[in-house]
């Protein structure tokens, strides 16, 4: 028990050191390589202590150069760029990761030029940067009024307002009542604006808690775009949306391997460690299940080959059912969610059936399974958890040793022929298996993110996760 507490404390300390190091080096890079910048929020204990993200603003020229600056920060801090999300026309979040054993620390420098939120323009970078002020710790922050406007707009747009948010706005307001009052009048006219003035002055946000949508609606009406502004922004918005569709920031990862390889353990760890780099995470077993009967919750399978195989007609129907489920599941669920930055994890996938078709009681021709696999949507990354037959058999005794050995050889052959496959040694200690799986995933994500923003892969690495021919057999 005591050892676990010590280890947990050491991991937390390591994560804090990694984050602080990234923040310090980022500040150095912004000071040396940008014309001007300011840290927009969360700077009270910065750079030694802060939440995961670092919100900062630069002008458009430096925004365009930021990928190279972030690449330099990653190199100097021994971190890896693993994710890039353009969440507004003029805002891009970078995710830097550092692996320590089975733990992944993620730091998110979030860069903006003009401040846009929920697709609407609010504050120009030129205005904010020209009024910035120097923090006692030596970095630049917005003026009091601009920070007040930034925080208020963000809270109303997100429809989340807590006591802490209210106190932050109150503290800023009493420091500069005149300029903060002007910002309120600029972004929220009418009785709602007057109410915000009263609440900010008295630090009594009861009205805001009760009817935040009313205040958000007033803000939106005040900043309503004209038809000319909407038409002018239309081409840029269209290109932005097209880019999100063509280059989804979500990811589909499938884990495969014989029983006993530790898929559940690794899936749980990957889901937990990578959560900060994705908006949502969803797990599936074998298939999307957009169609077909939902399985009853019967617990773990103790005899995967216990039932006799289906007849020819029933086997063909089963494969067609799976194939259609994959086609529709990908088109209607997996791809749309990838566009919205979801991480989709599969515990087994269609490829597993090429090795172990008895699991679905398949009694048809093998060529039909191969054809269905060839014509099915493919995961972005496939991770094979591999271990010697004796290790797998010692963990689970449901399948004879000879069958385990056959499956292991077939899985390895399958992985050699999949360009998206990575083999991880599952015979190691659990924390080492988790480390290697996360290393493989962040390596793939890092290459993809760098390619998306025009960075060359480190060391001339190939864009493929594996070296196979691309044919799943």
């Amino acid at each position: 028990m005591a050892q676990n507490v010590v280890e947990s404390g050491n991991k937390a300390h390591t994560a804090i050191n990694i984050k602080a190091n990234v923040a310090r080096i980022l500040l150095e890079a912004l000071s040396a390589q940008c014309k001007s910048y300011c840290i927009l929020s969360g700077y009270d204990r910065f750079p030694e202590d802060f939440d995961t993200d670092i919100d900062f603003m630069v002008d458009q020229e430096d925004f365009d150069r930021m990928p190279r600056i972030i690449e330099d920060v990653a190199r100097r801090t021994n971190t890896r760029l693993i994710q890039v999300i353009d969440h507004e026309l003029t805002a891009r979040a970078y995710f830097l990761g550092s692996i320590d054993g089975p733990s992944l620390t993620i730091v998110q420098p979030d860069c903006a030029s003009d401040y846009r939120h929920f697709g609407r323009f609010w504050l120009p970078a030129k205005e904010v940067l020209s009024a910035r002020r120097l923090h006692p710790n030596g970095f630049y922050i917005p003026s009091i009024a601009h920070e007040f406007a930034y925080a208020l707009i963000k809270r109303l747009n997100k429809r989340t307002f807590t006591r802490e948010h209210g106190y932050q706005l109150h503290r800023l307001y009493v420091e500069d009542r005149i300029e903060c009052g002007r910002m309120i009048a600029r972004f929220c006219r009418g009785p709602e604006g007057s109410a915000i003035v009263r609440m900010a002055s008295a630090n009594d946000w009861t009205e805001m808690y009760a009817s935040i949508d009313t205040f958000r609606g007033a803000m939106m009406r005040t900043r309503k775009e004209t038809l000319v502004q909407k038409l002018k922004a239309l081409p840029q918005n269209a290109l932005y949306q097209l880019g999100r569709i063509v280059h989804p920031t979500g990811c589909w990862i499938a884990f495969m391997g014989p029983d006993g390889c530790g898929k559940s353990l690794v899936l749980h760890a990957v889901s937990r460690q990578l959560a900060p780099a994705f908006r949502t995470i969803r797990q599936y077993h074998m298939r999307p299940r957009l169609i077909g009967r939902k399985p009853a919750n019967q617990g773990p399978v103790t005899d995967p080959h216990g039932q006799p195989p289906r007849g020819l007609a029933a086997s063909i129907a089963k494969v067609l059912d799976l194939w259609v489920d994959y086609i529709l599941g990908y088109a209607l669920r997996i791809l749309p969610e990838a566009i919205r930055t979801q991480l989709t994890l599969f515990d087994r996938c269609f490829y597993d059936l090429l090795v172990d078709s008895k699991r679905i009681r398949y009694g048809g021709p093998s060529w039909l399974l191969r054809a269905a696999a060839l014509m099915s949507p493919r995961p972005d990354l496939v991770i094979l958890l591999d271990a010697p037959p004796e290790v797998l058999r010692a963990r689970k005794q449901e399948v004879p040793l000879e069958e385990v050995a056959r499956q292991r050889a077939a899985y390895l052959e399958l992985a050699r022929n999949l360009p998206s496959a990575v083999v991880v040694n599952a015979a190691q200690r659990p924390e080492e298996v988790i480390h290697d799986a996360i290393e493989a995933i962040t390596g793939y994500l890092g290459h993809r993110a760098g390619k998306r923003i025009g960075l060359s892969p480190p060391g001339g690495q190939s864009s493929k996760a594996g070296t196979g021919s691309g044919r799943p057999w």
Side-chain angles (χ1 to χ4, degrees):
M1 180 69 176
Q3 183 179 357
N4 291 338
V5 172
V6 171
E7 289 178 357
S8 178
N10 289 339
K11 290 177 182 177
H13 183 68
T14 299
I16 291 172
N17 287 341
I18 292 169
K19 290 166 57 180
N21 189 37
V22 169
R24 286 191 293 266
I25 298 301
L26 176 64
L27 284 176
E28 289 180 16
L30 294 177
S31 299
Q33 301 182 50
C34 295
K35 290 187 293 185
S36 60
Y37 77 91
C38 68
I39 305 298
L40 291 170
S41 63
Y43 55 74
D44 290 341
R45 296 180 300 278
F46 194 79
E48 300 306 321
D49 187 18
F50 59 97
D51 291 332
T52 299
D53 55 331
I54 306 171
D55 294 329
F56 64 98
M57 178 176 280
V58 295
D59 66 14
Q60 186 61 49
E61 182 181 343
D62 288 328
F63 181 86
D64 294 337
R65 296 174 52 249
M66 195 53 57
R68 294 294 176 187
I69 295 174
I70 294 296
E71 182 182 41
D72 180 56
V73 171
R75 178 185 57 79
R76 293 172 62 190
T77 57
N78 198 30
T79 57
R80 169 185 283 164
L81 178 65
I82 63 173
Q83 176 73 294
V84 175
I85 301 176
D86 292 315
H87 54 91
E88 295 286 348
L89 284 172
T90 54
R92 174 180 287 165
Y94 301 86
F95 295 78
L96 301 179
S98 176
I99 306 174
D100 179 37
S103 299
L104 174 66
T105 299
I106 294 177
V107 187
Q108 179 188 333
D110 199 332
C111 179
S113 53
D114 295 332
Y115 178 50
R116 296 174 183 267
H117 203 236
F118 280 53
R120 189 165 295 190
F121 178 82
W122 299 99
L123 291 167
K126 183 177 180 180
E127 174 189 328
V128 176
L129 294 173
S130 64
R132 65 182 183 161
R133 54 196 170 122
L134 188 64
H135 189 273
N137 287 350
F139 54 86
Y140 286 96
I141 59 177
S143 70
I144 293 171
H146 283 125
E147 184 178 352
F148 180 91
Y150 173 81
L152 178 63
I153 293 164
K154 192 172 185 179
R155 296 276 59 87
L156 291 181
N157 268 332
K158 289 190 172 184
R159 295 183 175 92
T160 57
F161 202 97
T162 66
R163 186 184 301 273
E164 289 74 20
H165 298 143
Y167 178 72
Q168 177 195 14
L169 290 171
H170 165 71
R171 179 177 54 81
L172 292 167
Y173 181 82
V174 297
E175 283 190 63
D176 193 345
R177 293 175 181 269
I178 294 176
E179 291 302 320
C180 288
R182 287 174 178 168
M183 285 294 177
I184 294 171
R186 175 178 171 181
F187 294 110
C188 193
R189 300 191 190 101
E192 291 82 8
S194 299
I196 292 175
V197 170
R198 291 195 306 271
M199 290 185 288
S201 179
N203 193 28
D204 180 0
W205 299 92
T206 305
E207 293 180 65
M208 183 69 75
Y209 302 142
S211 53
I212 191 170
D213 284 338
T214 301
F215 290 96
R216 183 178 186 274
M219 183 180 71
M220 290 298 184
R221 288 192 300 272
T222 301
R223 298 296 293 177
K224 188 175 182 180
E225 294 178 325
T226 65
L227 179 60
V228 173
Q229 289 174 322
K230 290 180 179 179
L231 291 175
K232 186 177 179 180
L234 191 61
Q236 195 176 11
N237 284 323
L239 287 175
Y240 168 71
Q241 295 298 336
L242 181 61
R244 290 183 63 87
I245 294 170
V246 174
H247 301 292
T249 47
C251 189
W252 177 15
I253 304 174
F255 291 81
M256 64 181 188
D259 287 332
C261 65
K263 291 187 294 296
S264 298
L265 173 71
V266 176
L267 271 163
H268 177 73
V270 166
S271 177
R272 185 178 66 255
Q273 298 293 337
L274 285 169
F278 296 89
R279 286 183 176 148
T280 55
I281 296 179
R282 188 164 184 168
Q283 294 188 26
Y284 297 91
H285 179 75
M286 182 64 77
R287 56 186 292 180
R289 292 212 175 272
L290 194 69
I291 64 172
R293 184 165 54 90
K294 301 297 187 291
N297 186 14
Q298 299 175 339
V301 177
T302 58
D303 191 4
H305 299 166
Q307 295 181 293
R310 293 180 170 91
L312 178 60
S315 295
I316 293 174
K318 181 65 175 179
V319 170
L320 289 176
D321 170 64
L322 284 167
W323 182 74
V324 172
D325 192 23
Y326 266 82
I327 297 293
L328 293 179
Y330 180 77
L332 301 178
R333 187 174 287 169
I334 296 173
L335 180 57
E337 293 297 346
I339 294 171
R340 292 190 285 268
T341 319
Q342 175 174 284
L343 175 61
T344 299
L345 302 175
F346 268 59
D347 177 358
R348 299 190 182 275
C349 64
F350 211 123
Y351 295 143
D352 285 82
L353 301 181
L354 299 176
V355 173
D356 187 13
S357 61
K358 290 182 180 180
R359 184 170 292 273
I360 60 167
R361 300 170 56 204
Y362 184 68
S366 59
W367 64 262
L368 181 61
L369 274 176
R370 294 196 299 269
L374 181 64
M375 294 186 293
S376 293
R378 298 185 179 185
D380 299 306
L381 182 65
V382 177
I383 294 181
L384 169 61
L385 298 176
D386 173 63
E390 296 77 12
V391 174
L392 297 169
R393 172 65 177 170
R395 293 175 180 173
K396 285 199 174 182
Q397 291 81 39
E398 289 84 359
V399 179
L401 181 61
E402 296 77 11
E403 174 61 15
V404 174
R406 184 201 67 79
Q407 287 186 17
R408 188 219 183 183
Y411 272 118
L412 289 172
E413 179 64 23
L414 176 61
R416 279 191 288 269
N417 290 313
L418 286 175
S420 60
V422 174
V423 179
V424 170
N425 179 9
Q428 308 173 89
R429 292 183 300 147
E431 55 268 31
E432 293 172 333
V433 179
I434 293 168
H435 172 277
D436 289 355
I438 293 176
E439 179 74 31
I441 294 169
T442 55
Y444 166 79
L445 293 174
H447 182 92
R448 188 184 71 169
K451 185 177 179 181
R452 181 179 297 145
I453 58 176
L455 300 178
S456 58
Q461 293 175 359
S462 168
S463 63
K464 293 183 178 181
T467 58
S469 65
R471 296 174 59 86
W473 46 80

